[in-house]
Amino acid sequence: MTDRGKASRRWGRRGGALVALGLAAAASAFVAWPYVLRAAAEAALSEGGARVVHVGAASLNLANGRAELRDVTVGGDGSPAARIGRLAVDLNLRSLWQKRIRLDSAILRDADIEIRRLADGRMRVAGFDLPTGGPAPGAAGGWAIGVDAAEIAEVRIVYRDGDTVQRLTVGRFSVADLAPWRGDAGSPVAFEGKWGVGALRVTGKMSPFPAGSGGAFDIKVDGLPVAPLAVPARAAGLPAMTGDFSADLRLTLATTADGVSAVLSGDATLQGLAVTGSDGEPTTDETEETGLTADQFQVRNLHAEGAAG
């Protein structure tokens, strides 16, 4: 074999080794990528160890902008502050050239979330403290944020405020076309769930952005307990109520120069109503001045208007 042939053979072997090495590196990166991504997600969410976060699985597709987390647990005070089965978003990458963070879709499914009101009045959601001020999201630098379709399903929420505990179950919540660049076209909203043992359904349209902000909603309530209102009512020195509330209502909100105006109309029923004084004493024949009871209290063709500045 000539020297030229031997050299070609050596380069062929080296080239084959380099290709094999490259394939091995690519395979290793493919296998390790989910673990690296999961570790990065845990580190980012834990904020330097401020909370314990475990991520079961994470995926990120840079080609189409899809990111997904599964089986996420956020530690809390003695019990998990959140457990999320699935959280997925699809980012429209082309919109970034227009300084828009546009989500084609956002999904939160199968989750348990704790909302806690702290002693200083701040709110903590799923272990994260909400900001108390600052510019609106997306306002800085001329960027805007919007979502084409968002859905929350099978989410159980526990709200804690001191000794008060309230539970809300979100069977399904959806909103579409929620973006400031859509003007005042309105975003369709639908909610089905339970507050305690009472059923709650809301459908309508809203526009939360400055251009034509407001909304109109049809609200159906079936057997909603009014007892959770007892604690804030007593704290304000107002009579407290127990019983079940059912209603078919229409709520219209609009922004005016003086604030927000609201119009509420429809029919409402209180079943098993009992009203007590601010001292919380139960109603008796001797305390008629501080309380009343009724098997059923109905309001037909309710119409109320008000404004908050």
Side-chain angles (χ1 to χ4, degrees):
M1 181 179 292
T2 63
D3 292 340
R4 184 175 180 179
K6 291 179 180 179
S8 298
R9 189 174 180 180
R10 284 197 301 271
W11 279 110
R13 287 197 298 267
R14 291 175 182 174
L18 290 174
V19 171
L21 183 60
L23 291 175
S28 299
F30 180 79
V31 172
W33 171 245
Y35 299 96
V36 173
L37 186 61
R38 186 180 68 183
E42 290 180 344
L45 293 173
S46 67
E47 291 186 342
R51 63 186 65 84
V52 178
V53 178
H54 171 73
V55 177
S59 63
L60 175 64
N61 190 325
L62 297 177
N64 58 18
R66 167 171 278 268
E68 184 169 345
L69 299 177
R70 288 183 178 267
D71 300 326
V72 179
T73 302
V74 181
D77 299 329
S79 62
R83 186 203 60 79
I84 298 173
R86 182 189 179 208
L87 175 63
V89 296
D90 286 305
L91 174 64
N92 188 311
L93 299 177
R94 294 189 302 272
S95 67
L96 299 177
W97 295 101
Q98 301 172 295
K99 302 189 75 173
R100 293 177 177 176
I101 301 176
R102 176 180 174 181
L103 300 180
D104 290 333
S105 68
I107 298 173
L108 173 63
R109 185 166 294 162
D110 183 22
D112 297 277
I113 296 175
E114 179 188 71
I115 301 177
R116 186 183 293 268
R117 183 180 176 87
L118 304 179
D120 58 5
R122 292 181 297 119
M123 301 297 293
R124 180 172 293 168
V125 179
F128 296 84
D129 293 344
L130 296 185
T132 56
W143 284 81
I145 302 175
V147 59
D148 289 350
E151 179 181 292
I152 298 174
E154 301 173 23
V155 175
R156 296 155 294 277
I157 299 172
V158 177
Y159 174 76
R160 303 182 188 276
D161 184 358
D163 295 332
T164 301
V165 179
Q166 300 182 31
R167 301 181 186 277
L168 175 67
T169 300
V170 182
R172 184 176 182 272
F173 169 78
S174 64
V175 60
D177 302 330
L178 186 62
W181 54 80
R182 293 185 179 274
D184 58 356
S187 304
V189 177
F191 172 90
E192 291 185 14
K194 287 189 174 183
W195 182 4
V197 297
L200 180 63
R201 176 181 294 179
V202 180
T203 58
K205 274 192 171 186
M206 69 174 185
S207 180
F209 304 104
S213 58
F217 309 92
D218 292 312
I219 304 171
K220 182 175 179 60
V221 182
D222 187 11
L224 184 69
V226 299
L229 302 176
V231 173
R234 290 177 185 173
L238 301 174
M241 294 188 297
T242 58
D244 295 329
F245 176 69
S246 299
D248 283 296
L249 302 172
R250 175 77 171 179
L251 174 64
T252 303
L253 302 173
T255 301
T256 66
D258 299 324
V260 179
S261 65
V263 177
L264 182 67
S265 59
D267 301 330
T269 301
L270 279 169
Q271 193 80 25
L273 171 66
V275 181
T276 64
S278 58
D279 57 3
E281 291 296 323
T283 300
T284 67
D285 292 340
E286 290 77 22
T287 59
E288 291 183 356
E289 69 278 9
T290 61
L292 64 88
T293 60
D295 291 336
Q296 190 177 81
F297 180 77
Q298 292 184 331
V299 177
R300 298 292 184 186
N301 299 319
L302 167 70
H303 185 87
E305 299 185 26

